[in-house]
Amino acid sequence: MANATDGVPLLDVNRDNRPHREEFLEALTEVLDSGRFLFGPDVTALENEVAAYSQAENAIGCASGSDALLLALMALEIGPGDEVIVPSFTFFASVSCITRLGATPVFVDICPDTFNVDPEAIRSEITDRTRAIIPVHLFGQCAQIDRICQIAGDHDIPVIEDAAQAIGAAYHSRPAGSWGKMGCFSFYPTKNLGGMGDGGMITTSDAATADRLRLYASHGMRPRYYHQVVGINSRLDTFQAAVLRVKLRHLDKAVQDRRTNAERYSRLLSEANVVAADQIVLPATDPNAFHVWNQYALRVGEGRRDALRSYLSERGIGSEVYYPVPMHEQQCFQDLEFDRDALAETERASKEVLNLPIFPSLTEAEQHRVVESISGFYAAGARSAAAA
């Protein structure tokens, strides 16, 4: 059991990385000695390894997960007058890639259990201007991507999987990033496969699409100084690729640790008698999904989410809210048209979700400390109510 004075961090990247320190140093030294800081052999090797891991024919490295989404839309030549369907309950990059190209995001609602986009909400928003659909595999669990791809296929609309939080996740045993026209991954340090800086990758099983992505990611330049299209400069550097190759070798173990932590949380919270519709609702797992638990997302009822978070913070327990402001409520998107009534689950989730520490090296003692603090919050509330 953790000492009562011990805090629990939301994340501990250093603790997760420390066991692999010598491997990192060896890999980085090889890059340093080679002088091939861009387009080095580790980049090509990582692309091949991620493609194989994701069961896709091709993988194209880029500078970030945000760029991966942007490049995917650029490869489809999406622009003004086009609509792209996307959930509002997501990170900013899922939507900004659309508006940067002058296209219009069409916000759709989520399923209340998994927080993932509702396939039927997607179906209802398809028009003759819909040029792409971006389902987000949120918190490490795939959306109902089989149904989404079927709906998209009926209308000949490409699907771009936002798998930034979901490398290694699967649906019906088929990996994230292999279902749609393209899959987009982030290697931000807090992701399940996190680098030591920014990085991203796009998977596709279409050779022509892969070639187009590489063209757009290199200023649209081919051959050198001859520009076929207006691209961007988006490269995965060799240092990051070398680090990520080390971490990819240990990814399955890290995912299993996350899954163990998630199972333990659910058991401990249930045993603490805080699981109830008006208190804590545990994260739901789609029976068809292999969940990799980038986040462990509770629902906190009766408008007490922020109070619980403050209580945890006072006791040194890290937590976070992903996401407190849905995209349709962001100031920069206020000129967009949307039906607020059609986004009710999104708005409810933004007021109730609370994410607990779930990183691979989180200890059992630390999880007990987290759950004891949550239990203490509700016990204190019950005492206050009894005394009133």
Side-chain angles (χ1 to χ4, degrees), residues 89-92 94 116 136-142 161-169 176 184-187 190-193 255 258 291-296 322-323 355:
F89 193 64
T90 185
F91 181 62
F92 181 73
S94 307
N116 273 320
V136 180
H137 300 318
L138 201 67
F139 301 154
Q141 178 168 217
C142 287
E161 296 175 68
D162 183 341
Q165 301 177 6
I167 191 165
C184 299
F185 296 91
S186 169
F187 300 136
T190 61
K191 298 298 190 287
N192 287 21
L193 182 60
V255 167
R258 287 175 179 271
H291 200 326
V292 296
W293 297 99
N294 181 249
Q295 300 294 336
Y296 187 87
Y322 304 113
Y323 299 94
N355 303 82

Side-chain angles (χ1 to χ4, degrees), residues 65-75 96-98 100-101 184 232:
S66 300
D67 274 9
L69 289 161
L70 180 63
L71 287 163
L73 293 180
M74 292 174 75
S96 62
C97 59
I98 303 167
R100 285 185 191 283
L101 298 177
C184 299
I232 61 174

Side-chain angles (χ1 to χ4, degrees), residues 6 15-16 21 30 32 35 56 98 117 130 138 151 162 174 189 192 266 282 305 312 330 340 349 358 386:
D6 291 342
R15 196 198 304 178
D16 288 337
R21 186 175 188 274
E30 288 182 9
L32 178 63
I98 303 167
V117 63
T130 305
L138 201 67
I151 291 167
D162 183 341
R174 182 174 167 181
N192 287 21
S266 296
L282 299 178
R305 189 268 309 280
L312 294 177
Q330 297 289 344
R340 184 175 295 276
I358 187 103

Side-chain angles (χ1 to χ4, degrees), residues 323-355:
Y323 299 94
V325 183
M327 290 302 105
H328 69 275
E329 293 185 344
Q330 297 289 344
Q331 181 178 346
C332 59
F333 296 138
Q334 286 309 292
D335 292 338
L336 298 175
E337 295 183 3
F338 57 86
D339 180 1
R340 184 175 295 276
D341 292 338
L343 297 166
E345 291 298 340
T346 293
E347 295 192 0
R348 183 164 77 96
S350 70
K351 294 176 175 63
E352 294 182 350
V353 72
L354 184 67
N355 303 82

